[in-house]
Amino acid sequence: MRPWVRAETLPRVRTWSLSQVWLRTLAVIVAGAIVAGLAFLYLWQGCAITALQAQRAQYVLALVELERERILLEVQVQEACGPAALRARARALGMGPFTPDRIIHLEDDQRTSP
């Protein structure tokens, strides 16, 4: 088989090479980029952790405030349903302890013996 393209007609490809200075420069730039990227990630992670800690502190403060409010409401319920409050409401309705003149003894007129 005959090749369709002759080797003489193809352009000569020059080999790609870098001098030692350019290789070192490129290595320093790549290493610097990696170090800068890692430093950025470290600082970003620190900021994220700080923000999360601040948010957690807000939630803890809100939880403490809700706990205080729950205790206050519990005390108010106990005061509203306690014996002193019931006694005051009963007196406001006209109820009070029985006096001997208000006690009626029922006597059984028909005493039947079994």
Side-chain angles (χ1 to χ4, degrees):
M1 274 182 83
R2 294 180 91 193
W4 292 94
V5 179
R6 292 184 180 178
E8 296 88 31
T9 60
L10 292 175
R12 295 241 175 206
V13 178
R14 199 173 91 186
T15 59
W16 193 69
S17 65
L18 290 175
S19 67
Q20 290 293 331
V21 174
W22 285 108
L23 283 175
R24 286 182 187 156
T25 305
L26 184 62
V28 167
I29 289 173
V30 168
I34 290 173
V35 168
L38 290 174
F40 172 76
L41 288 175
Y42 175 75
L43 293 174
W44 179 63
Q45 182 183 18
C47 289
I49 288 174
T50 303
L52 289 173
Q53 286 175 344
Q55 190 176 15
R56 180 185 175 272
Q58 287 177 346
Y59 289 148
V60 167
L61 288 175
L63 182 64
V64 167
E65 182 64 30
L66 289 173
E67 181 66 22
R68 287 181 184 164
E69 187 176 344
R70 184 192 65 80
I71 291 171
L72 174 68
L73 292 173
E74 191 174 292
V75 167
Q76 288 176 352
V77 166
Q78 287 177 356
E79 287 176 356
C81 296
L86 290 176
R87 191 177 308 117
R89 279 189 259 154
R91 289 208 178 153
L93 292 173
M95 299 179 190
F98 284 111
T99 57
D101 61 326
R102 292 181 65 191
I103 298 174
I104 301 172
H105 294 284
L106 298 176
E107 294 182 15
D108 192 10
D109 291 335
Q110 302 174 354
R111 295 183 183 211
T112 56
S113 308

